Amino acid sequence: MAFLALGINHKTASVEVRERVAFTPEQTVEALRQLEQATHSREAAILSTCNRSELYLELEPSLADAVLAWLAQYHRVPLEDLRASIYLHQDEAAVRHMMRVAAGLDSMVLGEPQILGQLKSAYAVAREAGTVGPLLGRLFQATFNTAKAVRTDTAIGENPVSVAFAAVSLAKQIFSDLSRSQALLIGAGETITLVARHLHEQGVRRIVVANRTLERASHLAEEFGAHTVLLADIPDELVNSDIVISSTASQLPILGKGAVERALKQRRHKPIFMVDIAVPRDIEPEVSELEDVYLYTVDDLHEVVAENLKSRQGAAQAAEKLVLAGVDDFMQRLRERAAVDVVRAYRQQGEQIRDDELARAQRQLANGADPQEALAALARSLTNKLMHAPSVQLKKLSAEGRVDALTLAQELFALDEGLDKT
């Protein structure tokens, strides 16, 4: 096996460098074909996310510089800029790296689940490009199986470790079925975008995004099928909102106790779950005094995140053991398959000798030879020819002082029990 994993990630390169070597989905198929042609790699795949760009190749380690040169040329990035940020893993270390990536052990957020889906997409694109063969095909499948085992057998992905995810997870504790809930999101920044994504994945029935301008909120609406309103419309939307999550840059509270109180009366005191992620706060603290309101602040969420991160770090130790087991299993299978070609060639050689000797014996019988003599001749000739090449090679190796070869031959032909130990 000659397998390489070469790339940069959030640990080795700034976002300014990472974005310069990122591959868009539209680029990847053609990029793979160019990569394979430029480096003469036998197989190739590209993983590109906001936090990493990695190339997986069946290629001799001595050609790693050619891969790096291609990456620099393709993205028009100075080679030295990349050389300072790049990492390279070979063979078994590359397999381990790929499995750790899939399991979320190499992610910015430990155990995050999105990376596995991104790796599956990378595999699908490489298949579309025709750059996946036997090695990468088996490796991707082994990687997916290992990542699945990590998700199933450890708690690494069970607890939220981002504020946005923590907010949605708390909502699930209050509303067991979020598909029946309506959410009001106040703001349209990065955190609210993440919240919207998590809510959308949970199947929330209706998402409303309130913002100072509709233009910014419209991007969220397009991506997640949400509705947009201005901040002034919040009191009207509050009546139908089971979940309210706010994160703006406002210096003054956007939502006061009076507005929430009026909404509760119209809702007949049906509970509202609220999360104020903003600093300074968007929701007046007095809102927490109202019955039927569950109000959490960003500090509450940070406590949840910190506790959950601690539990994930414990689970990561178990995950690392599963990854090592996955690597060992894959490497063992690979070594077993490496013997297949040798066994096949040896069997074909033996079958050819058998067929030749059988044909000779049949001719002798057809010419009137004694059957017993013909069978004895067949047995002698077959034994001699099957043993000839191994015998010659063993004598040669023994003359060269290759005692290891003799020991291996004893094991290979299971001769230990039959040898005279005296």
Side-chain angles (χ1 to χ4, degrees):
M1 181 180 74
F3 177 56
L4 298 181
L6 179 149
I8 66 172
N9 63 17
H10 58 282
K11 299 175 184 176
T12 66
S14 66
V15 66
E16 289 78 17
V17 176
R18 297 201 306 274
E19 65 188 7
R20 292 167 70 190
V21 295
F23 295 86
T24 66
E26 295 76 22
Q27 289 178 312
T28 308
V29 168
E30 183 57 33
L32 279 166
R33 291 168 180 162
Q34 290 183 27
L35 171 62
E36 204 171 41
Q37 185 175 10
T39 62
H40 303 291
S41 58
R42 292 178 287 274
E43 301 181 44
I46 295 174
L47 171 67
S48 189
T49 73
C50 59
N51 285 329
R52 71 181 66 241
S53 287
E54 295 185 346
L55 311 180
Y56 308 125
L57 306 113
E58 185 184 2
L59 194 67
E60 295 298 330
S62 59
L63 296 173
D65 283 345
V67 178
L68 187 57
W70 174 84
L71 186 63
Q73 181 272 329
Y74 183 87
H75 287 293
R76 296 184 176 87
V77 176
L79 184 59
E80 292 309 310
D81 288 1
L82 281 185
R83 201 180 295 278
S85 304
I86 214 76
Y87 47 82
L88 174 68
H89 302 287
Q90 301 174 21
D91 297 332
E92 187 169 341
V95 173
R96 179 173 178 267
H97 172 76
M98 192 169 168
M99 290 185 177
R100 291 188 77 254
V101 168
L105 292 170
D106 196 54
S107 296
M108 182 180 291
V109 176
L110 182 65
E112 59 95 2
Q114 289 82 9
I115 188 65
L116 179 57
Q118 291 164 335
L119 259 173
K120 289 182 176 180
S121 295
Y123 174 56
V125 171
R127 289 187 63 185
E128 179 187 344
T131 60
V132 168
L135 174 63
L136 279 184
R138 289 193 292 270
L139 178 53
F140 269 106
Q141 293 305 321
T143 297
F144 298 153
N145 290 339
T146 298
K148 182 179 179 182
V150 169
R151 294 283 161 193
T152 303
D153 299 340
T154 75
I156 196 167
E158 290 183 1
N159 299 312
V161 290
S162 72
V163 167
F165 197 10
V168 175
S169 296
L170 284 172
K172 285 176 63 178
Q173 293 179 21
I174 294 172
F175 304 102
S176 57
D177 185 1
L178 291 184
S179 64
R180 299 179 180 179
S181 303
Q182 177 171 310
L184 171 62
L185 307 183
I186 305 174
E190 182 180 349
T191 300
I192 289 296
T193 300
L194 287 173
V195 169
R197 179 172 291 112
H198 293 313
L199 289 173
H200 182 71
E201 290 172 353
Q202 292 296 324
V204 170
R205 185 183 64 197
R206 186 170 186 264
I207 299 175
V208 177
V209 180
N211 198 47
R212 293 190 189 281
T213 63
L214 294 180
E215 181 181 359
R216 182 80 181 271
S218 64
H219 297 298
L220 279 175
E222 291 175 9
E223 186 173 356
F224 304 112
H227 302 271
T228 59
V229 298
L230 294 170
L231 294 181
D233 299 318
I234 288 177
D236 296 329
E237 293 296 334
L238 203 55
V239 176
N240 299 312
S241 300
D242 306 298
I243 300 166
V244 178
I245 301 177
S246 185
S247 179
T248 75
S250 174
Q251 296 300 304
L252 297 172
I254 290 173
L255 195 54
K257 182 179 179 182
V260 177
E261 200 167 18
R262 287 190 292 274
L264 283 172
K265 288 179 180 178
Q266 291 180 265
R267 289 171 59 84
R268 298 183 180 180
H269 294 277
K270 184 181 177 182
I272 302 178
F273 169 74
M274 293 185 169
V275 181
D276 188 353
I277 303 175
V279 179
R281 285 179 281 188
D282 284 339
I283 302 174
E284 288 183 349
E286 291 77 14
V287 170
S288 63
E289 299 171 1
L290 297 173
E291 291 187 14
D292 305 312
V293 171
Y294 300 89
L295 176 61
Y296 292 83
T297 67
V298 68
D299 287 346
D300 297 325
L301 295 185
H302 279 311
E303 290 176 10
V304 173
V305 168
E307 187 62 32
N308 290 345
L309 184 56
K310 189 185 299 181
S311 70
R312 281 199 178 191
Q313 288 169 339
Q317 296 177 5
E320 292 283 8
K321 291 180 181 179
L322 289 172
V323 166
L324 289 177
V327 172
D328 289 344
D329 181 67
F330 176 76
M331 296 304 296
Q332 180 180 338
R333 291 176 184 275
L334 206 60
R335 287 189 289 267
E336 289 171 354
R337 292 191 68 88
V340 168
D341 291 340
V342 176
V343 172
R344 184 185 294 116
Y346 184 59
R347 178 176 290 277
Q348 288 174 347
Q349 182 187 70
E351 289 174 347
Q352 185 62 54
I353 292 172
R354 177 203 62 195
D355 292 344
D356 291 344
E357 294 307 311
L358 180 61
R360 177 181 297 177
Q362 288 172 335
R363 287 195 299 270
Q364 291 174 345
L365 290 172
N367 291 330
D370 179 81
Q372 293 296 328
E373 292 181 2
L375 283 174
L378 170 63
R380 284 194 303 272
S381 181
L382 191 59
T383 300
N384 289 337
K385 290 195 174 182
L386 287 174
M387 293 183 63
H388 176 71
S391 298
V392 169
Q393 291 300 317
L394 281 172
K395 289 177 182 178
K396 177 175 177 289
L397 292 170
S398 179
E400 294 173 354
R402 291 283 305 278
V403 179
D404 59 323
L406 298 179
T407 303
L408 181 61
Q410 288 178 211
E411 184 179 349
L412 183 64
F413 295 114
L415 299 177
D416 286 351
E417 293 182 5
L419 292 178
D420 186 356
K421 302 293 185 180
T422 62

